[in-house]
């Protein structure tokens, strides 16, 4: 099992945001997580919200193994076996998911540490697979209308771009454009610990 320190720290604050979008009275809330990593968010949130049906995914086989190990170790019944999903590829390759069938898509700490085409694919997929009025939640550090703050996020952005020039903090203005091009709109930005944000996009 992979245990990521950041996921351990942010899983509870992220769950608090998620609760706003999971009605306890709904029989079943179908959620796809893109780039699940270790699987810590999947098991933590799914245990807290039993009417969620959580589909984890990742592009990295080691992450898929870790997610499966977490599901087995904690015996979580409402997390599905993880699927291979490369968000830079068309939604048609995303494990056979059908258009307009998902209530939520969640994506945590992927955008800044992958190529822009991964973010573009995420929005295209969300535009297709979410039901009307359903929600895409993304979490991470962002640039806000061209400005990165505080200095620790500026330094983090430089460090990412040195590692890979195609990585780096994404700008909310650009994400808003991408969202609109795919039939979603940026509805809310939530300040999170450690200078991160949750961005809430709603499909029109
Ligand atoms: C920093 S980790 C975050 C993992 C997890 N969401 C978390 O917060 O602990 C970034 C994740 O993005 C995944 N990833 C990178 N490129 C991807 C892609 N094209 N499609 C899907 N996942 C991708 C990596 O395999 C990795 O698990």
């Amino acid at each position: 099992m992979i245990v990521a320190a950041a996921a351990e720290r942010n899983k509870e604050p992220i769950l608090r945001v998620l609760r706003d979008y999971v009605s306890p009275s709904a029989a079943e809330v179908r959620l796809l997580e893109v780039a699940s990593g270790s699987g810590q968010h999947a098991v933590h949130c799914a245990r807290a919200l039993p009417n969620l049906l959580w589909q984890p995914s990742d592009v990295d086989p080691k992450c898929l193994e870790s997610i499966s190990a977490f599901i087995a170790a904690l015996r979580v019944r409402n997390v599905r076996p993880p699927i291979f999903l490369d968000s830079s590829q068309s939604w048609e390759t995303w494990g056979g998911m059908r258009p307009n069938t998902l209530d939520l898509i969640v994506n945590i700490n992927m955008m800044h540490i992958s190529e822009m085409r991964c973010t573009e694919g995420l929005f295209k997929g969300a535009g297709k697979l979410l039901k009307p009025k359903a929600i895409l939640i993304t979490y991470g550090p962002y640039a806000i209308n061209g400005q990165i703050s505080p200095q620790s996020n500026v330094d983090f952005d430089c460090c990412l771009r040195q590692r890979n020039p195609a990585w780096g903090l994404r700008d909310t203005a650009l994400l808003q454009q991408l969202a609109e091009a795919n039939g979603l709109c940026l509805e809310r930005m939530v300040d999170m610990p450690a200078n991160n944000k949750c961005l809430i996009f709603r499909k029109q």
Side-chain angles (χ1 to χ4, degrees), residues 7 35-37 41 58-60 63 85-87 108-110 113 118:
S36 301
H41 296 105
D58 207 279
V59 75
D60 180 344
C63 291
L85 187 161
D86 181 345
S87 73
I108 301 165
N109 273 335
M110 180 199 80
I113 205 150
C118 303

Side-chain angles (χ1 to χ4, degrees), residues 111-132:
M111 287 184 187
H112 57 282
I113 205 150
S114 59
E115 293 177 17
M116 192 57 202
R117 63 199 173 106
C118 303
T119 296
E120 288 164 354
L122 173 70
F123 279 96
K124 277 190 196 150
K128 275 286 172 194
L129 298 175
L130 287 172
K131 295 174 183 171

Side-chain angles (χ1 to χ4, degrees), residues 2-198:
I2 302 167
V3 179
E8 231 19 64
R9 285 193 298 272
N10 64 30
K11 66 185 186 183
E12 188 56 31
I14 290 173
L15 171 61
R16 278 201 285 277
V17 174
L18 196 54
R19 283 186 192 280
D20 291 347
Y21 298 95
V22 178
S23 163
S25 61
E28 185 178 80
V29 177
R30 292 182 43 135
L31 181 151
L32 168 67
E33 183 184 19
V34 174
S36 301
S38 61
Q40 285 158 270
H41 296 105
V43 293
H44 181 74
C45 297
R47 283 171 112 194
L49 298 167
N51 63 336
L52 270 183
L53 183 58
W54 189 293
Q55 176 63 70
S57 71
D58 207 279
V59 75
D60 180 344
K62 289 200 188 73
C63 291
L64 300 179
E65 273 174 31
S66 175
I67 300 163
S68 295
F70 263 111
I71 298 169
L74 300 180
R75 299 201 186 135
V76 194
R77 299 172 72 97
N78 56 330
V79 180
R80 310 242 329 142
I83 55 170
F84 173 87
L85 187 161
D86 181 345
S87 73
S88 69
Q89 302 300 307
S90 166
W91 61 274
E92 283 146 312
T93 68
W94 294 10
M97 256 166 263
R98 284 173 293 114
N100 301 315
T101 55
L102 294 175
D103 298 296
L104 278 163
I105 297 179
V106 174
N107 179 245
I108 301 165
N109 273 335
M110 180 199 80
M111 287 184 187
H112 57 282
I113 205 150
S114 59
E115 293 177 17
M116 192 57 202
R117 63 199 173 106
C118 303
T119 296
E120 288 164 354
L122 173 70
F123 279 96
K124 277 190 196 150
K128 275 286 172 194
L129 298 175
L130 287 172
K131 295 174 183 171
K133 307 295 174 200
I135 295 285
L136 164 67
I137 300 177
T138 71
Y139 170 96
Y142 298 96
I144 312 289
N145 298 322
Q147 298 292 316
I148 301 180
S149 69
Q151 187 60 38
S152 58
N153 273 4
V154 175
D155 296 344
F156 184 43
D157 182 57
C158 283
C159 176
L160 288 166
R161 289 177 197 278
Q162 274 169 8
R163 276 173 73 188
N164 185 334
W167 292 1
L169 271 57
R170 306 302 174 201
D171 197 301
T172 52
L174 179 70
L175 298 179
Q176 215 161 340
Q177 281 174 19
L178 254 182
E180 281 165 21
N182 290 286
L184 295 104
C185 74
L186 177 58
E187 180 174 282
R188 191 179 162 210
M189 282 197 229
V190 185
D191 287 332
M192 302 295 283
N195 305 303
N196 290 294
K197 288 194 187 299
C198 272

